[in-house]
Amino acid sequence: MTSEPSRLFTRLAQTDDDLRAAQRLRYEVFVRELGSDGAGVDHDLQLETDRFDPFFDHLLLIDRDAPATVPSGVVGVYRLLRQDQAFKIGQFYSEDEYDLTRLKTSGRKLLELGRSCLRPDYRGGAGMYLMWNALAEYVHHHEIEVLFGVASFHGTDLDALAEPLSLLHHRHLAPDDLQVRTVAAH
């Protein structure tokens, strides 16, 4: 008995077209849906990019049956930067905002995660499950010990964000020897 390949699968980006498809999805989610903007946003090409993209591995979730309007069938992306990759460019992405000295001197193998997103109709369920399983395989393969990254909350209303921020503070702080601090504004 043979089984058909799943219509959803994951793999690392391999080509410039793969990277552009990931950047297009990020534009759809972060710019169109969530209203983000910045220097790396190209509205004409509908891409969300930054100078770090060429150095990251881009974990893609692909739907073989995605409509032709979905570039390369990419419906999910996770951006991954190992410590050895960060060393080549002189920093992790988040070092512009955080002092990562404690992490970098911990002696542990690090992986920075970022720009994670899925098309709305793939959130939850099988898509996220496949992405997390692929991430777990990547972590195992590269013998990663600590995962970290910058995450954003939608909005700036501290009253509205008080409950989730409190939950994170009271239940999910990193151990003291791995906690990072923000970099003072210039």
Side-chain angles (χ1 to χ4, degrees), residues 23-37 41-48 69-71 119-120 123 154:
Q23 293 166 334
R24 172 73 54 89
L25 174 60
R26 289 174 9 202
Y27 182 90
E28 289 177 20
V29 173
F30 299 127
V31 177
R32 270 200 196 125
E33 184 180 335
L34 298 175
S36 180
D37 204 1
V41 174
D42 184 329
H43 293 290
D44 293 332
L45 296 177
Q46 299 182 2
L47 300 174
E48 192 276 333
T69 57
V70 176
R119 292 177 59 88
R123 294 177 189 158
H154 193 64

Side-chain angles (χ1 to χ4, degrees), residues 167-184:
L167 176 73
L168 287 173
H169 177 78
H170 291 290
R171 295 194 183 164
H172 301 288
L173 279 182
D176 287 341
D177 63 326
L178 295 178
Q179 287 183 16
V180 301
R181 303 283 182 245
T182 58
V183 174

Side-chain angles (χ1 to χ4, degrees), residues 64-180:
R64 293 179 204 279
D65 298 333
T69 57
V70 176
S72 302
V74 173
V75 297
V77 64
Y78 239 122
R79 200 167 78 158
L80 313 171
L81 186 69
R82 296 183 317 272
Q83 192 165 4
D84 61 305
Q85 295 164 306
F87 181 76
K88 290 177 186 174
I89 55 176
Q91 74 171 92
F92 283 102
Y93 168 82
S94 56
E95 282 187 272
D96 287 342
E97 297 181 42
Y98 296 93
D99 176 357
L100 302 182
T101 302
R102 286 183 176 182
L103 283 175
K104 291 168 58 175
T105 60
S106 70
R108 296 175 178 168
K109 287 181 117 176
L110 307 175
L111 177 67
E112 182 174 36
L113 308 171
R115 298 293 209 279
S116 170
C117 62
L118 292 157
R119 292 177 59 88
D121 43 336
Y122 292 85
R123 294 177 189 158
M128 201 67 234
Y129 177 80
L130 288 170
M131 292 287 285
W132 284 342
N133 275 317
L135 178 58
E137 289 175 21
Y138 185 96
V139 165
H140 178 73
H141 176 78
H142 292 285
E143 300 176 339
I144 302 298
E145 297 172 78
V146 177
L147 287 75
F148 71 97
V150 177
S152 301
F153 284 93
H154 193 64
T156 57
D157 180 353
L158 290 180
D159 290 335
L161 298 173
E163 186 176 336
L165 290 173
S166 179
L167 176 73
L168 287 173
H169 177 78
H170 291 290
R171 295 194 183 164
H172 301 288
L173 279 182
D176 287 341
D177 63 326
L178 295 178
Q179 287 183 16
V180 301

